[in-house]
Amino acid sequence: MAPVLSVSNLAVEFSTPYGQLRALRNVSLEVDRGEIVGIVGESGCGKSTLLNAILGLLPANGRIAQGRIVLSGTDLLGLPDWALDGIRGDRMSVVFQDPMTTLNPVLSIGRQMSDILYRLPLTAEDKQVRISQMLKRVGIPDPLQRIGQYPHELSGGMRQRVAIAMSMLVEPELLIADEPTTALDATLEIQIIGLLKDLQRNTGCSILFISHHLGLIAELCDSVAVMYAGEVVEHGSVRDIFHGPAHPYTQRLLECDPARIDEPTSRLPTIPGDVPNLTVIPPGCIFTDRCPRAFAPCPGNRPVTTLVANGHTAACHLLTATPAHDTAAFRP
Amino acid sequence: MLFYAVNRLALAIAIVVVVIAVLFCMVYVIPGDPVRIALGPLATPEMVASFRAKMGLDQPLLVQFTRFFASVLKGDLGTDILSNRGVATSVFEQMPYTLTLIVSSMLWAVAIGIPLGCYAAIHRGSLFDRIIGVLSVAVIAIPSFVIAVYALLIFAVHLGWFPAIGAGRPGAPFNQLHHLVLPSLAVGLGWVGYLARVVRASMLEVMGENYIRTARAFGLPRRTIVYRYALPIAVLPTITLLGVGIGHMLSGAVFAEIVFARPGVGKLVYDAINARNYPLVSGTVLITTAFYVLATLIADLFVAGLDPRVRANLR
Amino acid sequence: MSVQISDSAVSSSHGWTSVKRGFADPLGRIGFGLVLLLLVAAIFADVITVYEPTKMLPRDRFQSPSYEHLLGTDQLGRDLFSRMIHGGRVALMVAFPAIGISLALGIFFGLASGYAPKWLDNTLLLLFDAIRSFPTVMLALALATIIGPSLQTVILVVILFSAPAYARIIRTQTLALRSAEFVLASVATGASICRVLGVHVLPNIIGPILILVSMDLPVVITTEAGMSFLGLGVRPPTPSWGSILNDGYAFIRESPWLAVAGGLPIIIATIGFTFLGESLRDAYDPKLGKVS
């Protein structure tokens, strides 16, 4: 069956005073029907840019340099803005990161939720029924009263539930969740993740779940793509990635995850160095400078995406190294 | 909300009291017989005597001030030297004309300024946007009496499209509207530019907010986003401005009434000055200032009442 | 009506670089050009003009512009071009002393308020706000009525309205700088109050002051012209743009040129200073332009 979302060879650039910033380079990704795909990476890896590209919400100085984004057979990049409006909030929807600023402060919850149903030929009462049902499903007590309330009258956790309710209300094929729990505390986080799982099971929609929190990805997702500095460096099922990471970056990420640390320590491990400057793209592997296992071919040649196991790929020279290559650590 | 209202009201009252005090003191700061200064050179000796007695000028300053203050509160702002009527009566008679002028000037500003600003924000960087940017600064800078004289010169004298004098025949609304166009344009043009700028800046800021991003992400039509999601929030700052604007428009209205020979508070005070009718002058100043302070107060409270966030913060 | 500058504190001493940046903006350059034109014309008034502004040629009334009289003549046969140029002198003769004194008063009261105990600060603030809450024209009329119309009256009115605005801004800057590290360090090393104020606080205030002055000038010019227009300012026969414009109004059906001679320089002056002030302000700190 055709995937719900198919991103192929996507490249996105931004024009800045410092030059062309190549935020995404050759990103490919697929989300199958009913699948929950996670995207994990640190700040600056391009997660938000990818999200904006899919939604067609890139800022004025950004442009899609190449690639395709296909949603269930519809080529999103070829569409004019008004046609995209028809798809956004209908076949795909979003839950954003910050619940405090994601809702319009001067319109009531009910108003905002019924506005997004504008395409449907329903009466106001029908919409009201749907809205209160959905609010109930996401665990908001007393939905009929909430409909008349304003966002500032709800707590952060409640607002995020409303955001999820909004995204589910339109019955999308694809739900994109951009770090939906980052701004919430741990207890809420668990509840929200549980909620997403539940809803996904009941509706069968696909979810693209963006996060920098590995534990959540492991909990929720079926497969995961690891991004670094604008590229997908590894992609596979959650099991494969977490139990057998092939890319040094993924390996380091897992090692540095505080949840995995068994012994008490005064210093948390980190990956030394910074995300590179994306206006000047080096010729070789983008992770070379920070990679603990970099060796001879790394600085000069771009690694190719290679198959590690069935459905598990990574882009690293270590996977294509022939015995003739020196596999000792290389430090420039 | 109540606390805020009381707070603002107290401040407004304090300001009006200070104003009354200043007006009172002005008479004494100037060298010369304070009674003659207050009443002007046309005062008859009987007026001087009765004024002196009423004010109790032999009493200490504080007592005089208290008595002055008390009479103001009673509504007695002095007597018009020439017509021998109460000053307050004369002023309130003329107020409606000036208010009409101010309100219609405001309407120009709102009806033209807000759409211009909104359009400029949506089409940011376009030629239209840049032209509006320059024009709005220019129009704000040019004083309203200059605009009034030129409007008179071009549209009334040379082109003859609009009448040059007066407020029109009483009881004939279209005629009166016809007479209202040029004066209100003169007073309001600066505010067209000002509102355009404010609304443009405000719209740009609002359009960059996360909740607008959410609306776009859910595919809401452009028109809905601009007019129902963004603009209502963007115009909130303009409401306070309009309250402040009434004061500035008052200045403009004074000039417009003089230039177009319209009845109103401005013409009243101008004629009073030329006729050396000083009680009328000080009374008018007092009433208009109080009115201005009141207008600003109402505007502030109105905004606080409209924005649910402000209401919540004030609880 | 003037465009308000928000009271937000900006403590930074990049005054001169922003002046240079202000001139990179085309509007700023136009503004500067107009201002320069104004200043040169006013200073060299006697050199540029042929006729005395007060010389009456009763037989040549209401003439249209010609080679002889570049802008024509007014109701008393006086050369309008000359009156217009000399009117610029009057405008400047009001502007400079008025702004100078306002600035001095503003600095004094602003610093005092910034360093004063809370009760004094609040009292001064109330005073500033009270003055600002007057409708300008009304107070100007009242004062002119009592004191009598003259150049000095106009200067007094301008000072009365400008000084509180300066004081407020300087107070804000003072409050901000008062707890700035380099000031605290200076005080800690035993510097006297005067030294702290003069060497540390004042130079950092220059930027906002420069901007405020250039935004205030259109208001000053407008006030002078407005009062003269109403006959409450400079006494005739001294030419003032406002009184020329008033003549233009009075004789509007006889000749449009009086109105041009009076209004055009006001337009040029106000637009010029406003453009200049705006680009200086945008160059110094774009946030200042936000409406609070």
Side-chain angles (χ1 to χ4, degrees), chain B residues 39-42 80-82 87 90-91 258 264-284, chain C residues 141 145 232:
Chain B
L39 294 180
L42 293 178
D80 184 336
I81 297 277
L82 295 179
V87 164
S90 304
V91 176
I258 295 168
V265 167
K267 186 139 201 314
L268 183 72
V269 77
Y270 184 57
D271 291 342
I273 291 175
N274 285 332
R276 302 178 126 75
N277 195 345
Y278 293 168
L280 194 54
V281 176
S282 64
T284 315
Chain C
L141 293 181
T145 314
L232 297 173

PDB file of all heavy atoms in Angstrom, chain B residues 39-42 80-82 87 90-91 258 264-284, chain C residues 141 145 232:
ATOM      1  N   LEU B  39     -10.074  88.955  35.150  1.00  0.00           N
ATOM      2  CA  LEU B  39     -11.294  89.407  34.477  1.00  0.00           C
ATOM      3  C   LEU B  39     -11.012  90.106  33.160  1.00  0.00           C
ATOM      4  O   LEU B  39     -11.890  90.210  32.325  1.00  0.00           O
ATOM      5  CB  LEU B  39     -12.076  90.360  35.395  1.00  0.00           C
ATOM      6  CG  LEU B  39     -12.638  89.714  36.657  1.00  0.00           C
ATOM      7  CD1 LEU B  39     -13.394  90.739  37.482  1.00  0.00           C
ATOM      8  CD2 LEU B  39     -13.578  88.580  36.282  1.00  0.00           C
ATOM      9  N   GLY B  40      -9.794  90.597  33.024  1.00  0.00           N
ATOM     10  CA  GLY B  40      -9.480  91.252  31.780  1.00  0.00           C
ATOM     11  C   GLY B  40      -9.766  92.740  31.836  1.00  0.00           C
ATOM     12  O   GLY B  40     -10.412  93.239  32.760  1.00  0.00           O
ATOM     13  N   PRO B  41      -9.291  93.447  30.830  1.00  0.00           N
ATOM     14  CA  PRO B  41      -9.393  94.915  30.845  1.00  0.00           C
ATOM     15  C   PRO B  41     -10.805  95.452  30.668  1.00  0.00           C
ATOM     16  O   PRO B  41     -11.048  96.636  30.864  1.00  0.00           O
ATOM     17  CB  PRO B  41      -8.503  95.349  29.675  1.00  0.00           C
ATOM     18  CG  PRO B  41      -8.385  94.149  28.826  1.00  0.00           C
ATOM     19  CD  PRO B  41      -8.525  92.961  29.703  1.00  0.00           C
ATOM     20  N   LEU B  42     -11.721  94.587  30.290  1.00  0.00           N
ATOM     21  CA  LEU B  42     -13.074  95.089  30.051  1.00  0.00           C
ATOM     22  C   LEU B  42     -13.954  95.070  31.297  1.00  0.00           C
ATOM     23  O   LEU B  42     -15.105  95.458  31.245  1.00  0.00           O
ATOM     24  CB  LEU B  42     -13.755  94.247  28.967  1.00  0.00           C
ATOM     25  CG  LEU B  42     -13.144  94.378  27.564  1.00  0.00           C
ATOM     26  CD1 LEU B  42     -13.873  93.467  26.606  1.00  0.00           C
ATOM     27  CD2 LEU B  42     -13.236  95.816  27.079  1.00  0.00           C
ATOM     28  N   ASP B  80     -19.327  85.233  31.956  1.00  0.00           N
ATOM     29  CA  ASP B  80     -18.895  85.837  30.707  1.00  0.00           C
ATOM     30  C   ASP B  80     -19.023  87.351  30.808  1.00  0.00           C
ATOM     31  O   ASP B  80     -20.089  87.875  31.065  1.00  0.00           O
ATOM     32  CB  ASP B  80     -19.796  85.268  29.590  1.00  0.00           C
ATOM     33  CG  ASP B  80     -19.387  85.760  28.213  1.00  0.00           C
ATOM     34  OD1 ASP B  80     -18.759  86.829  28.113  1.00  0.00           O
ATOM     35  OD2 ASP B  80     -19.704  85.061  27.256  1.00  0.00           O
ATOM     36  N   ILE B  81     -17.921  88.019  30.603  1.00  0.00           N
ATOM     37  CA  ILE B  81     -17.892  89.474  30.772  1.00  0.00           C
ATOM     38  C   ILE B  81     -18.894  90.150  29.835  1.00  0.00           C
ATOM     39  O   ILE B  81     -19.603  91.055  30.195  1.00  0.00           O
ATOM     40  CB  ILE B  81     -16.488  90.022  30.462  1.00  0.00           C
ATOM     41  CG1 ILE B  81     -15.467  89.457  31.442  1.00  0.00           C
ATOM     42  CG2 ILE B  81     -16.501  91.531  30.503  1.00  0.00           C
ATOM     43  CD1 ILE B  81     -15.407  90.178  32.739  1.00  0.00           C
ATOM     44  N   LEU B  82     -18.912  89.682  28.609  1.00  0.00           N
ATOM     45  CA  LEU B  82     -19.697  90.402  27.611  1.00  0.00           C
ATOM     46  C   LEU B  82     -21.181  90.079  27.663  1.00  0.00           C
ATOM     47  O   LEU B  82     -22.021  90.962  27.643  1.00  0.00           O
ATOM     48  CB  LEU B  82     -19.151  90.096  26.208  1.00  0.00           C
ATOM     49  CG  LEU B  82     -17.734  90.614  25.986  1.00  0.00           C
ATOM     50  CD1 LEU B  82     -17.256  90.257  24.596  1.00  0.00           C
ATOM     51  CD2 LEU B  82     -17.709  92.132  26.159  1.00  0.00           C
ATOM     52  N   VAL B  87     -20.259  81.060  32.225  1.00  0.00           N
ATOM     53  CA  VAL B  87     -19.283  80.543  31.270  1.00  0.00           C
ATOM     54  C   VAL B  87     -19.620  79.109  30.899  1.00  0.00           C
ATOM     55  O   VAL B  87     -19.570  78.711  29.734  1.00  0.00           O
ATOM     56  CB  VAL B  87     -17.865  80.625  31.873  1.00  0.00           C
ATOM     57  CG1 VAL B  87     -16.899  79.758  31.097  1.00  0.00           C
ATOM     58  CG2 VAL B  87     -17.392  82.061  31.898  1.00  0.00           C
ATOM     59  N   SER B  90     -22.186  78.772  28.188  1.00  0.00           N
ATOM     60  CA  SER B  90     -21.705  79.054  26.834  1.00  0.00           C
ATOM     61  C   SER B  90     -20.897  77.893  26.287  1.00  0.00           C
ATOM     62  O   SER B  90     -21.059  77.488  25.135  1.00  0.00           O
ATOM     63  CB  SER B  90     -20.830  80.307  26.828  1.00  0.00           C
ATOM     64  OG  SER B  90     -21.532  81.397  27.354  1.00  0.00           O
ATOM     65  N   VAL B  91     -20.013  77.370  27.135  1.00  0.00           N
ATOM     66  CA  VAL B  91     -19.147  76.300  26.653  1.00  0.00           C
ATOM     67  C   VAL B  91     -19.962  75.073  26.270  1.00  0.00           C
ATOM     68  O   VAL B  91     -19.785  74.500  25.189  1.00  0.00           O
ATOM     69  CB  VAL B  91     -18.087  75.925  27.713  1.00  0.00           C
ATOM     70  CG1 VAL B  91     -17.270  74.746  27.230  1.00  0.00           C
ATOM     71  CG2 VAL B  91     -17.184  77.107  27.995  1.00  0.00           C
ATOM     72  N   ILE B 258     -11.729  77.769  13.391  1.00  0.00           N
ATOM     73  CA  ILE B 258     -11.375  79.143  13.055  1.00  0.00           C
ATOM     74  C   ILE B 258     -11.245  79.306  11.549  1.00  0.00           C
ATOM     75  O   ILE B 258     -11.775  80.247  10.963  1.00  0.00           O
ATOM     76  CB  ILE B 258     -10.065  79.532  13.769  1.00  0.00           C
ATOM     77  CG1 ILE B 258     -10.299  79.527  15.277  1.00  0.00           C
ATOM     78  CG2 ILE B 258      -9.562  80.879  13.293  1.00  0.00           C
ATOM     79  CD1 ILE B 258      -9.047  79.617  16.085  1.00  0.00           C
ATOM     80  N   GLY B 264     -18.261  76.401  17.587  1.00  0.00           N
ATOM     81  CA  GLY B 264     -17.672  75.348  18.409  1.00  0.00           C
ATOM     82  C   GLY B 264     -16.831  75.962  19.508  1.00  0.00           C
ATOM     83  O   GLY B 264     -16.661  77.177  19.588  1.00  0.00           O
ATOM     84  N   VAL B 265     -16.289  75.083  20.324  1.00  0.00           N
ATOM     85  CA  VAL B 265     -15.505  75.535  21.463  1.00  0.00           C
ATOM     86  C   VAL B 265     -14.289  76.331  21.012  1.00  0.00           C
ATOM     87  O   VAL B 265     -13.893  77.316  21.634  1.00  0.00           O
ATOM     88  CB  VAL B 265     -15.071  74.309  22.304  1.00  0.00           C
ATOM     89  CG1 VAL B 265     -14.015  74.682  23.279  1.00  0.00           C
ATOM     90  CG2 VAL B 265     -16.262  73.722  23.009  1.00  0.00           C
ATOM     91  N   GLY B 266     -13.660  75.904  19.938  1.00  0.00           N
ATOM     92  CA  GLY B 266     -12.470  76.582  19.448  1.00  0.00           C
ATOM     93  C   GLY B 266     -12.755  78.014  19.046  1.00  0.00           C
ATOM     94  O   GLY B 266     -12.065  78.948  19.455  1.00  0.00           O
ATOM     95  N   LYS B 267     -13.798  78.169  18.264  1.00  0.00           N
ATOM     96  CA  LYS B 267     -14.164  79.512  17.828  1.00  0.00           C
ATOM     97  C   LYS B 267     -14.546  80.360  19.030  1.00  0.00           C
ATOM     98  O   LYS B 267     -14.211  81.542  19.112  1.00  0.00           O
ATOM     99  CB  LYS B 267     -15.333  79.426  16.852  1.00  0.00           C
ATOM    100  CG  LYS B 267     -15.698  80.739  16.226  1.00  0.00           C
ATOM    101  CD  LYS B 267     -16.012  80.560  14.736  1.00  0.00           C
ATOM    102  CE  LYS B 267     -15.873  81.865  13.973  1.00  0.00           C
ATOM    103  NZ  LYS B 267     -16.523  82.982  14.657  1.00  0.00           N
ATOM    104  N   LEU B 268     -15.226  79.730  19.973  1.00  0.00           N
ATOM    105  CA  LEU B 268     -15.641  80.428  21.189  1.00  0.00           C
ATOM    106  C   LEU B 268     -14.432  81.016  21.912  1.00  0.00           C
ATOM    107  O   LEU B 268     -14.401  82.206  22.244  1.00  0.00           O
ATOM    108  CB  LEU B 268     -16.388  79.464  22.107  1.00  0.00           C
ATOM    109  CG  LEU B 268     -16.959  80.039  23.393  1.00  0.00           C
ATOM    110  CD1 LEU B 268     -18.154  80.915  23.061  1.00  0.00           C
ATOM    111  CD2 LEU B 268     -17.376  78.919  24.342  1.00  0.00           C
ATOM    112  N   VAL B 269     -13.444  80.169  22.124  1.00  0.00           N
ATOM    113  CA  VAL B 269     -12.303  80.628  22.911  1.00  0.00           C
ATOM    114  C   VAL B 269     -11.478  81.637  22.127  1.00  0.00           C
ATOM    115  O   VAL B 269     -10.946  82.595  22.674  1.00  0.00           O
ATOM    116  CB  VAL B 269     -11.458  79.420  23.409  1.00  0.00           C
ATOM    117  CG1 VAL B 269     -10.604  78.867  22.308  1.00  0.00           C
ATOM    118  CG2 VAL B 269     -10.595  79.831  24.583  1.00  0.00           C
ATOM    119  N   TYR B 270     -11.396  81.441  20.818  1.00  0.00           N
ATOM    120  CA  TYR B 270     -10.633  82.373  19.991  1.00  0.00           C
ATOM    121  C   TYR B 270     -11.276  83.756  19.991  1.00  0.00           C
ATOM    122  O   TYR B 270     -10.605  84.768  20.186  1.00  0.00           O
ATOM    123  CB  TYR B 270     -10.559  81.807  18.567  1.00  0.00           C
ATOM    124  CG  TYR B 270      -9.733  82.614  17.613  1.00  0.00           C
ATOM    125  CD1 TYR B 270      -8.401  82.895  17.878  1.00  0.00           C
ATOM    126  CD2 TYR B 270     -10.276  83.112  16.431  1.00  0.00           C
ATOM    127  CE1 TYR B 270      -7.632  83.624  16.993  1.00  0.00           C
ATOM    128  CE2 TYR B 270      -9.518  83.844  15.545  1.00  0.00           C
ATOM    129  CZ  TYR B 270      -8.192  84.094  15.830  1.00  0.00           C
ATOM    130  OH  TYR B 270      -7.437  84.820  14.946  1.00  0.00           O
ATOM    131  N   ASP B 271     -12.566  83.778  19.812  1.00  0.00           N
ATOM    132  CA  ASP B 271     -13.263  85.059  19.857  1.00  0.00           C
ATOM    133  C   ASP B 271     -13.140  85.680  21.237  1.00  0.00           C
ATOM    134  O   ASP B 271     -13.004  86.897  21.376  1.00  0.00           O
ATOM    135  CB  ASP B 271     -14.752  84.871  19.505  1.00  0.00           C
ATOM    136  CG  ASP B 271     -14.937  84.513  18.043  1.00  0.00           C
ATOM    137  OD1 ASP B 271     -13.999  84.750  17.259  1.00  0.00           O
ATOM    138  OD2 ASP B 271     -16.014  83.983  17.697  1.00  0.00           O
ATOM    139  N   ALA B 272     -13.189  84.827  22.262  1.00  0.00           N
ATOM    140  CA  ALA B 272     -13.084  85.346  23.625  1.00  0.00           C
ATOM    141  C   ALA B 272     -11.732  85.994  23.863  1.00  0.00           C
ATOM    142  O   ALA B 272     -11.623  87.018  24.527  1.00  0.00           O
ATOM    143  CB  ALA B 272     -13.317  84.224  24.626  1.00  0.00           C
ATOM    144  N   ILE B 273     -10.690  85.379  23.318  1.00  0.00           N
ATOM    145  CA  ILE B 273      -9.365  85.957  23.492  1.00  0.00           C
ATOM    146  C   ILE B 273      -9.287  87.315  22.807  1.00  0.00           C
ATOM    147  O   ILE B 273      -8.817  88.291  23.393  1.00  0.00           O
ATOM    148  CB  ILE B 273      -8.277  85.029  22.910  1.00  0.00           C
ATOM    149  CG1 ILE B 273      -8.159  83.780  23.762  1.00  0.00           C
ATOM    150  CG2 ILE B 273      -6.945  85.749  22.847  1.00  0.00           C
ATOM    151  CD1 ILE B 273      -7.220  82.775  23.194  1.00  0.00           C
ATOM    152  N   ASN B 274      -9.769  87.345  21.589  1.00  0.00           N
ATOM    153  CA  ASN B 274      -9.716  88.608  20.865  1.00  0.00           C
ATOM    154  C   ASN B 274     -10.561  89.673  21.519  1.00  0.00           C
ATOM    155  O   ASN B 274     -10.279  90.869  21.404  1.00  0.00           O
ATOM    156  CB  ASN B 274     -10.150  88.385  19.403  1.00  0.00           C
ATOM    157  CG  ASN B 274      -9.067  87.686  18.610  1.00  0.00           C
ATOM    158  OD1 ASN B 274      -7.892  87.809  18.920  1.00  0.00           O
ATOM    159  ND2 ASN B 274      -9.468  86.926  17.612  1.00  0.00           N
ATOM    160  N   ALA B 275     -11.601  89.248  22.221  1.00  0.00           N
ATOM    161  CA  ALA B 275     -12.461  90.213  22.897  1.00  0.00           C
ATOM    162  C   ALA B 275     -12.040  90.443  24.334  1.00  0.00           C
ATOM    163  O   ALA B 275     -12.713  91.156  25.084  1.00  0.00           O
ATOM    164  CB  ALA B 275     -13.910  89.720  22.848  1.00  0.00           C
ATOM    165  N   ARG B 276     -10.946  89.810  24.714  1.00  0.00           N
ATOM    166  CA  ARG B 276     -10.435  89.939  26.075  1.00  0.00           C
ATOM    167  C   ARG B 276     -11.439  89.505  27.124  1.00  0.00           C
ATOM    168  O   ARG B 276     -11.557  90.087  28.186  1.00  0.00           O
ATOM    169  CB  ARG B 276      -9.967  91.367  26.358  1.00  0.00           C
ATOM    170  CG  ARG B 276      -8.910  91.810  25.401  1.00  0.00           C
ATOM    171  CD  ARG B 276      -8.503  93.231  25.672  1.00  0.00           C
ATOM    172  NE  ARG B 276      -7.080  93.352  25.863  1.00  0.00           N
ATOM    173  CZ  ARG B 276      -6.185  93.297  24.896  1.00  0.00           C
ATOM    174  NH1 ARG B 276      -6.562  93.090  23.670  1.00  0.00           N
ATOM    175  NH2 ARG B 276      -4.904  93.443  25.169  1.00  0.00           N
ATOM    176  N   ASN B 277     -12.159  88.472  26.797  1.00  0.00           N
ATOM    177  CA  ASN B 277     -13.187  87.956  27.687  1.00  0.00           C
ATOM    178  C   ASN B 277     -12.572  86.818  28.506  1.00  0.00           C
ATOM    179  O   ASN B 277     -12.858  85.642  28.293  1.00  0.00           O
ATOM    180  CB  ASN B 277     -14.342  87.448  26.810  1.00  0.00           C
ATOM    181  CG  ASN B 277     -15.592  87.222  27.596  1.00  0.00           C
ATOM    182  OD1 ASN B 277     -15.581  87.159  28.819  1.00  0.00           O
ATOM    183  ND2 ASN B 277     -16.696  87.090  26.882  1.00  0.00           N
ATOM    184  N   TYR B 278     -11.755  87.199  29.472  1.00  0.00           N
ATOM    185  CA  TYR B 278     -10.899  86.217  30.109  1.00  0.00           C
ATOM    186  C   TYR B 278     -11.591  85.110  30.886  1.00  0.00           C
ATOM    187  O   TYR B 278     -11.153  83.967  30.847  1.00  0.00           O
ATOM    188  CB  TYR B 278      -9.863  86.910  30.999  1.00  0.00           C
ATOM    189  CG  TYR B 278      -8.873  87.708  30.203  1.00  0.00           C
ATOM    190  CD1 TYR B 278      -8.009  88.600  30.813  1.00  0.00           C
ATOM    191  CD2 TYR B 278      -8.822  87.599  28.819  1.00  0.00           C
ATOM    192  CE1 TYR B 278      -7.110  89.333  30.074  1.00  0.00           C
ATOM    193  CE2 TYR B 278      -7.931  88.334  28.071  1.00  0.00           C
ATOM    194  CZ  TYR B 278      -7.073  89.214  28.702  1.00  0.00           C
ATOM    195  OH  TYR B 278      -6.196  89.945  27.979  1.00  0.00           O
ATOM    196  N   PRO B 279     -12.669  85.409  31.609  1.00  0.00           N
ATOM    197  CA  PRO B 279     -13.314  84.287  32.311  1.00  0.00           C
ATOM    198  C   PRO B 279     -13.743  83.192  31.333  1.00  0.00           C
ATOM    199  O   PRO B 279     -13.656  82.002  31.644  1.00  0.00           O
ATOM    200  CB  PRO B 279     -14.528  84.936  32.981  1.00  0.00           C
ATOM    201  CG  PRO B 279     -14.182  86.360  33.104  1.00  0.00           C
ATOM    202  CD  PRO B 279     -13.315  86.688  31.932  1.00  0.00           C
ATOM    203  N   LEU B 280     -14.175  83.593  30.162  1.00  0.00           N
ATOM    204  CA  LEU B 280     -14.587  82.613  29.171  1.00  0.00           C
ATOM    205  C   LEU B 280     -13.390  81.760  28.743  1.00  0.00           C
ATOM    206  O   LEU B 280     -13.482  80.549  28.580  1.00  0.00           O
ATOM    207  CB  LEU B 280     -15.198  83.329  27.964  1.00  0.00           C
ATOM    208  CG  LEU B 280     -15.973  82.465  26.971  1.00  0.00           C
ATOM    209  CD1 LEU B 280     -17.049  81.680  27.685  1.00  0.00           C
ATOM    210  CD2 LEU B 280     -16.570  83.343  25.889  1.00  0.00           C
ATOM    211  N   VAL B 281     -12.256  82.419  28.579  1.00  0.00           N
ATOM    212  CA  VAL B 281     -11.063  81.688  28.168  1.00  0.00           C
ATOM    213  C   VAL B 281     -10.687  80.643  29.220  1.00  0.00           C
ATOM    214  O   VAL B 281     -10.516  79.460  28.911  1.00  0.00           O
ATOM    215  CB  VAL B 281      -9.873  82.656  27.952  1.00  0.00           C
ATOM    216  CG1 VAL B 281      -8.623  81.866  27.620  1.00  0.00           C
ATOM    217  CG2 VAL B 281     -10.182  83.641  26.847  1.00  0.00           C
ATOM    218  N   SER B 282     -10.579  81.073  30.466  1.00  0.00           N
ATOM    219  CA  SER B 282     -10.113  80.109  31.476  1.00  0.00           C
ATOM    220  C   SER B 282     -11.148  79.027  31.704  1.00  0.00           C
ATOM    221  O   SER B 282     -10.806  77.860  31.925  1.00  0.00           O
ATOM    222  CB  SER B 282      -9.762  80.827  32.780  1.00  0.00           C
ATOM    223  OG  SER B 282     -10.906  81.411  33.330  1.00  0.00           O
ATOM    224  N   GLY B 283     -12.419  79.391  31.652  1.00  0.00           N
ATOM    225  CA  GLY B 283     -13.462  78.381  31.820  1.00  0.00           C
ATOM    226  C   GLY B 283     -13.417  77.337  30.727  1.00  0.00           C
ATOM    227  O   GLY B 283     -13.532  76.131  30.970  1.00  0.00           O
ATOM    228  N   THR B 284     -13.235  77.800  29.493  1.00  0.00           N
ATOM    229  CA  THR B 284     -13.172  76.860  28.371  1.00  0.00           C
ATOM    230  C   THR B 284     -11.982  75.924  28.514  1.00  0.00           C
ATOM    231  O   THR B 284     -12.094  74.716  28.289  1.00  0.00           O
ATOM    232  CB  THR B 284     -13.050  77.616  27.042  1.00  0.00           C
ATOM    233  OG1 THR B 284     -13.981  78.691  27.029  1.00  0.00           O
ATOM    234  CG2 THR B 284     -13.308  76.701  25.874  1.00  0.00           C
TER     235      THR B 284
ATOM    236  N   LEU C 141      -3.271  79.038  24.294  1.00  0.00           N
ATOM    237  CA  LEU C 141      -4.180  80.172  24.214  1.00  0.00           C
ATOM    238  C   LEU C 141      -4.307  80.869  25.558  1.00  0.00           C
ATOM    239  O   LEU C 141      -4.256  82.088  25.656  1.00  0.00           O
ATOM    240  CB  LEU C 141      -5.563  79.704  23.737  1.00  0.00           C
ATOM    241  CG  LEU C 141      -5.659  79.184  22.307  1.00  0.00           C
ATOM    242  CD1 LEU C 141      -7.087  78.795  21.987  1.00  0.00           C
ATOM    243  CD2 LEU C 141      -5.174  80.231  21.332  1.00  0.00           C
ATOM    244  N   THR C 145      -3.052  84.610  26.329  1.00  0.00           N
ATOM    245  CA  THR C 145      -4.032  85.608  26.743  1.00  0.00           C
ATOM    246  C   THR C 145      -3.546  86.368  27.955  1.00  0.00           C
ATOM    247  O   THR C 145      -3.642  87.587  28.033  1.00  0.00           O
ATOM    248  CB  THR C 145      -5.355  84.914  27.110  1.00  0.00           C
ATOM    249  OG1 THR C 145      -5.671  83.976  26.106  1.00  0.00           O
ATOM    250  CG2 THR C 145      -6.456  85.933  27.249  1.00  0.00           C
ATOM    251  N   LEU C 232      -1.306  85.132  18.135  1.00  0.00           N
ATOM    252  CA  LEU C 232      -0.861  85.116  19.521  1.00  0.00           C
ATOM    253  C   LEU C 232       0.631  84.886  19.640  1.00  0.00           C
ATOM    254  O   LEU C 232       1.137  84.603  20.705  1.00  0.00           O
ATOM    255  CB  LEU C 232      -1.590  84.001  20.281  1.00  0.00           C
ATOM    256  CG  LEU C 232      -3.086  84.187  20.355  1.00  0.00           C
ATOM    257  CD1 LEU C 232      -3.724  82.965  20.957  1.00  0.00           C
ATOM    258  CD2 LEU C 232      -3.413  85.420  21.171  1.00  0.00           C
TER     259      LEU C 232
END
